[in-house]
Amino acid sequence: MTAAKRPVRTPAAVPVGIIGAIALGLLGAAAVRDALQALDVVKGSSWSGSLADRVKLIEPAEWMLPFGIVAVLLGLWFVIAALKPRRTTQWQVGDSSVWIRPKDAARLAAGAASEVGSVLSATTSARRRRISVDAVTTTDAAHVGEELEAAVTSRLAPLSRPPRIRTRVRLEES
């Protein structure tokens, strides 16, 4: 049995690839149209011939150097985007090939928070490497905050890199 692959984001180069594929498709359609025009299947002038005639008329201008520099920098950005490592989207459980989403880890934290005796309600949210727990209690908020953090930390301990836990406890007026 082989280990599951690491869940990662879509590569940063995907939008570049899609735009490039569309551009090449349009270029190919223009080439097919010019071939059909050369065979007298389609009436009209050649698109590539018209473009070549226009390019002959272009003379060096002041805007071309900055535009060229921007084009080179954009090309470098595309290369870096293609080679950039992809970030993981989920959290690994121990050394196993089991992964959970941050949203599911937040649900585990909410379950642990609800098991703390004096917590009336708890809501959780997860960010990239942090889980926030907001709880409501009727007793000592500082003491409940410590219990809450200990319970959530214990519940999320099996993760290979446990997230930071931020707790906020609010007293409910009786």
Side-chain angles (χ1 to χ4, degrees), residues 62-75:
E62 290 181 12
W63 63 268
M64 291 181 176
L65 181 62
F67 184 78
I69 291 171
V70 168
V72 167
L73 291 175
L74 190 62

Side-chain angles (χ1 to χ4, degrees), residues 5-167:
K5 289 184 179 181
R6 185 174 67 124
V8 291
R9 287 190 143 182
T10 304
V14 166
V16 175
I18 291 172
I19 291 169
I22 291 171
L24 282 176
L26 293 173
L27 189 63
V32 168
R33 191 247 178 231
D34 279 353
L36 292 173
Q37 187 273 332
L39 296 171
D40 289 330
V41 175
V42 176
K43 304 283 187 225
S45 63
S46 169
W47 289 352
S48 58
S50 300
L51 181 63
D53 291 339
R54 286 187 184 169
V55 170
K56 286 180 190 176
L57 299 175
I58 295 177
E59 294 183 14
E62 290 181 12
W63 63 268
M64 291 181 176
L65 181 62
F67 184 78
I69 291 171
V70 168
V72 167
L73 291 175
L74 190 62
L76 284 174
W77 182 76
F78 289 158
V79 169
I80 289 169
L83 298 175
K84 184 173 135 181
R86 298 184 286 171
R87 195 170 64 190
T88 58
T89 57
Q90 299 180 15
W91 298 344
Q92 188 175 14
V93 179
D95 292 332
S96 68
S97 60
V98 176
W99 298 80
I100 64 170
R101 298 177 299 177
K103 180 169 56 170
D104 297 327
R107 289 179 182 152
L108 287 172
S114 67
E115 292 173 3
V116 173
S118 55
V119 171
L120 298 176
S121 66
T123 58
T124 58
S125 64
R127 299 279 182 251
R128 185 167 169 227
R129 292 299 314 162
R130 182 184 74 196
I131 290 184
S132 299
V133 181
D134 296 323
V136 177
T137 185
T138 56
T139 61
D140 180 27
H143 179 68
V144 171
E146 292 170 5
E147 283 184 46
L148 188 61
E149 188 162 344
V152 172
T153 302
S154 173
R155 179 69 53 95
L156 299 178
L159 295 176
S160 62
R161 287 181 46 204
R164 289 183 321 226
I165 298 166
R166 185 188 64 84
T167 60

